[in-house]
Amino acid sequence: PSSPFADYMRNLRRALPDFAARSDVVRVVMVECAEISGNPQLQAADADKVMWEVCGVEAACVYALQSKCNHSCDPCAEAVTYSLPDCTIDVVALRDIAASHELTITYVDPEKS
C-alpha cells in the first residue's frame, strides 16, 4: 500500500511531466516539511510519519470550501478526508447549525494539541 506522500508524488508526476518543474515543487514541499518537523535532513520516505507525529495531519492540500472555514477548538463541523489519490474532502456537521452560524472546523488533531 502506498502512503499519502507517495500518492502525492505520483499525482505530481502526472500533473507536472516536466522534470525541472516537478523538482522545484518537490524541493519546496520537502523544505517546508523539514522546517515544520525541525528535521533539516527529513527524507521523503519519512514525510508521512513525521508530519502525522508533528502536526496530526495526513496530507496538506488547499480545498475551495474548507479553506473558507475558520478554526475553532469547539468546531461545529469536521473535515472528512478520503484516501488519496482522489483527494476528496467533505465538511460534515457535528451538531445542528443555524443558517446564520459560521462553519468552523479544527485545523489540527485535537489529541495532538
Side-chain angles (χ1 to χ4, degrees):
S2 63
S3 69
F5 193 81
D7 289 336
Y8 171 81
M9 296 304 292
R10 184 174 27 264
N11 288 333
L12 185 62
R13 283 191 295 276
R14 290 181 193 136
L16 293 171
D18 177 66
F19 181 78
R22 187 171 64 243
S23 295
D24 288 343
V25 171
V26 170
R27 186 173 52 258
V28 169
V29 168
M30 289 308 301
V31 165
E32 293 300 320
C33 288
E35 184 175 326
I36 290 168
S37 71
N39 178 359
Q41 303 302 317
L42 181 65
Q43 300 296 309
D46 301 323
D48 287 330
K49 179 178 180 275
V50 169
M51 295 314 292
W52 174 252
E53 290 171 353
V54 172
C55 303
V57 296
E58 286 184 37
C61 300
V62 177
Y63 294 91
L65 174 62
Q66 293 75 10
S67 66
K68 292 176 177 57
C69 294
N70 283 322
H71 168 77
S72 173
C73 291
D74 183 28
C76 63
E78 68 179 337
V80 178
T81 59
Y82 298 95
S83 296
L84 294 170
D86 68 344
C87 298
T88 59
I89 188 168
D90 292 333
V91 174
V92 179
L94 296 172
R95 58 181 174 268
D96 289 341
I97 304 170
S100 61
H101 193 275
E102 176 183 27
L103 286 179
T104 57
I105 60 175
T106 183
Y107 291 165
V108 296
D109 181 344
E111 294 179 17
K112 298 213 180 264
S113 53

